[in-house]
């Protein structure tokens, strides 16, 4: 694993402190990636950086327009995707700062990673792996050809995932800054599981190969999982 990132808002130092303590107990080193603060984004900044929201796009779960905080969240992830590509990292993990780890997280993940690396070394392909998420469909997910993983159905949250450079490039190549939606809505579009046809039509090249750890290895520390649809 080349790098483990923690996206942290400077307005939430207590969350970073909690995360660093948890990772220290797990014996995991991580790099802090400062979050983009949506409150500091001006209209001029968005125009100068060719950033545009996707019209009157509604979040398909909350049925609400995208908020400026979600713009900052998207850009926080996007800047890491760029770094993964620029540095040609083979594998990274990206955590948001509000993660709760399963017991023996590191041992369980290393076992999962061993299976995953064996699959990749034998010619298997994967771009993106959820370590934690909120599943938004009430149906059984297909098992992936790797022990401990399933093919991800429509899911929310970007609280923790593994990413390859190929996956990062696909996320960037779809030009999301010119038609921005919430990051946890955007990712399922690229692996063809978003439920809103109008959103999917804006990203015709949807070839992201997405797995999910099963069972999940991390959870949100502050939000409860809502019922699936």
């Amino acid at each position: 694993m080349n790098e483990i990132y923690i996206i942290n808002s400077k307005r939430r130092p207590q969350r970073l402190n909690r995360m660093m303590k948890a990772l220290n107990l797990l014996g995991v080193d991580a790099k802090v990636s400062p979050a983009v603060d949506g409150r500091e984004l001006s209209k001029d900044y968005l125009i100068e950086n060719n950033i545009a929201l996707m019209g009157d796009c509604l979040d398909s779960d909350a049925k609400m327009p995208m908020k400026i905080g979600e713009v900052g969240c998207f850009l926080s992830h996007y800047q890491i995707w760029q770094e993964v590509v620029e540095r040609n990292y083979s594998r990274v993990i990206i955590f948001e700062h509000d993660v709760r780890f399963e017991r023996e997280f590191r041992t369980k993940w290393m076992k999962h990673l061993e299976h995953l690396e064996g699959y990749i070394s034998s010619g298997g392909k994967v771009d993106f792996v959820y370590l934690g998420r909120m599943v938004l469909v009430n149906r059984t997910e297909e098992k992936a050809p790797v022990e401990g993983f399933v093919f991800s159905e429509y899911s929310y949250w970007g609280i923790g995932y593994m990413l390859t450079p190929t996956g990062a490039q696909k996320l960037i190549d779809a030009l999301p800054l010119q038609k921005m939606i919430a990051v946890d809505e955007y990712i399922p579009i690229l692996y063809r599981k978003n439920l809103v046809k109008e959103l999917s039509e804006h990203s015709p090249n949807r070839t992201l190969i997405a797995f999910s750890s099963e069972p999940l290895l991390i959870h949100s520390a502050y939000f409860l999982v809502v019922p699936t649809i």
Side-chain angles (χ1 to χ4, degrees), residues 201-228:
E201 289 174 345
H202 286 271
S203 299
N205 298 319
R206 295 175 286 137
T207 61
L208 193 74
I209 303 171
F211 291 177
S212 174
S213 172
E214 179 58 41
L216 296 173
L217 299 178
I218 64 172
H219 309 277
S220 172
Y222 301 99
F223 296 95
L224 295 176
V225 175
V226 299
T228 54

Side-chain angles (χ1 to χ4, degrees), residues 13-170:
Q14 71 282 6
R15 295 193 179 188
L16 177 60
N17 290 338
R18 186 193 62 80
M19 281 287 291
M20 296 306 290
K21 287 178 181 178
L23 290 170
N24 184 55
L25 289 172
L26 292 167
V28 176
D29 293 325
K31 173 183 178 180
V32 178
S33 180
V36 176
D37 191 340
R39 296 182 184 182
E40 297 179 358
L41 298 176
S42 66
K43 184 176 181 181
D44 287 342
Y45 174 89
L46 299 181
I47 293 172
E48 289 169 5
N49 289 276
N50 199 25
I51 298 170
L53 307 189
M54 193 184 287
D56 296 324
C57 163
L58 296 182
D59 176 297
S60 60
D61 179 45
K63 306 301 181 186
M64 296 174 61
M66 190 175 184
K67 305 179 185 68
I68 193 64
E70 291 175 310
V71 176
C73 180
F74 195 107
L75 293 175
S76 300
H77 286 265
Y78 188 86
Q79 66 187 8
I80 298 177
W81 301 345
Q82 289 180 307
E83 187 168 311
V84 172
V85 172
E86 289 167 1
R87 300 191 179 185
N88 197 31
Y89 285 154
S90 60
R91 313 274 187 277
V92 302
I93 290 177
I94 301 169
F95 290 126
E96 292 184 349
H97 60 194
D98 49 0
V99 167
R100 174 172 58 84
F101 295 93
E102 278 287 303
R103 288 180 180 272
E104 301 181 356
F105 165 82
R106 180 173 178 173
T107 300
K108 292 176 180 178
W109 171 243
M110 293 306 293
K111 184 177 180 180
H112 278 59
L113 186 59
E114 182 181 352
H115 295 313
L116 200 61
E117 294 289 0
Y119 171 71
I120 293 171
S121 64
S122 64
K125 297 185 183 300
V126 60
D127 300 316
F128 179 100
V129 179
Y130 283 109
L131 304 186
R133 60 188 173 132
M134 178 171 62
V135 184
L136 291 177
V137 292
N138 188 19
R139 56 175 174 263
T140 301
E141 293 178 302
E142 181 185 352
K143 289 185 177 181
V146 189
E147 184 178 347
F149 296 92
V150 294
F151 285 107
S152 180
E153 284 284 348
Y154 183 35
S155 304
Y156 255 24
W157 295 351
I159 58 173
Y161 55 90
M162 189 195 84
L163 188 64
T164 69
T166 302
Q169 191 67 64
K170 289 180 180 181

